[in-house]
Amino acid sequence: MVMVDPDAPSPSEPNHRETLHWLVTNIPGTTGANFGQEIMSYKEPKPTSGIHRFVFVLFQQPGRQTVEAPGWRPNFNTRDFAELYNLGSPVAAVYFNCQRESGSGGRRVYS
């Protein structure tokens, strides 16, 4: 499962696309207590300008794999990652919109 921001650093100039916010592998297909292996820790959304999309993409792994953590968060490429680890097409995807609230320094999240 990957979580990316394809609109970083801003929707009008997304030259960091995609920015990786979370990467978890080896998620079991059961409801057991083991969640999976966190490869890149969760980085909360903090858009500085405009409305950003935050996308979760879920792949079905062909089996347990050892996955290398990318050495960077900006310019991550979900398609290249999926090809490198032979993941095929996503089995699920969802996104939400988020933007910085003007004046208060907070964020608004839209589902």
Side-chain angles (χ1 to χ4, degrees):
M1 189 246 347
V2 299
M3 176 187 172
V4 294
D5 174 1
D7 300 318
S10 72
S12 60
E13 291 186 40
N15 54 13
H16 290 172
R17 72 168 67 199
E18 306 161 26
T19 295
L20 179 63
H21 279 260
W22 201 15
L23 176 58
V24 181
T25 63
N26 299 317
I27 300 170
T30 65
T31 56
N34 187 3
F35 177 71
Q37 182 179 4
E38 188 175 60
I39 304 299
M40 290 292 279
S41 62
Y42 176 78
K43 178 183 171 190
E44 67 183 25
K46 288 186 178 181
T48 56
S49 66
I51 297 173
H52 289 241
R53 298 164 292 164
F54 289 87
V55 183
F56 290 89
V57 182
L58 182 67
F59 296 93
Q60 183 173 356
Q61 291 178 231
R64 289 190 65 83
Q65 297 181 23
T66 301
V67 174
E68 300 277 327
W72 65 93
R73 287 186 186 263
N75 299 309
F76 180 80
N77 188 303
T78 302
R79 286 183 185 190
D80 289 350
F81 175 79
E83 186 176 312
L84 178 64
Y85 291 102
N86 300 310
L87 299 176
S89 297
V91 295
V94 67
Y95 78 97
F96 64 91
N97 292 327
C98 182
Q99 78 180 69
R100 179 186 176 101
E101 278 189 62
S102 58
S104 69
R107 296 180 304 281
R108 282 187 233 162
V109 176
Y110 306 96
S111 304

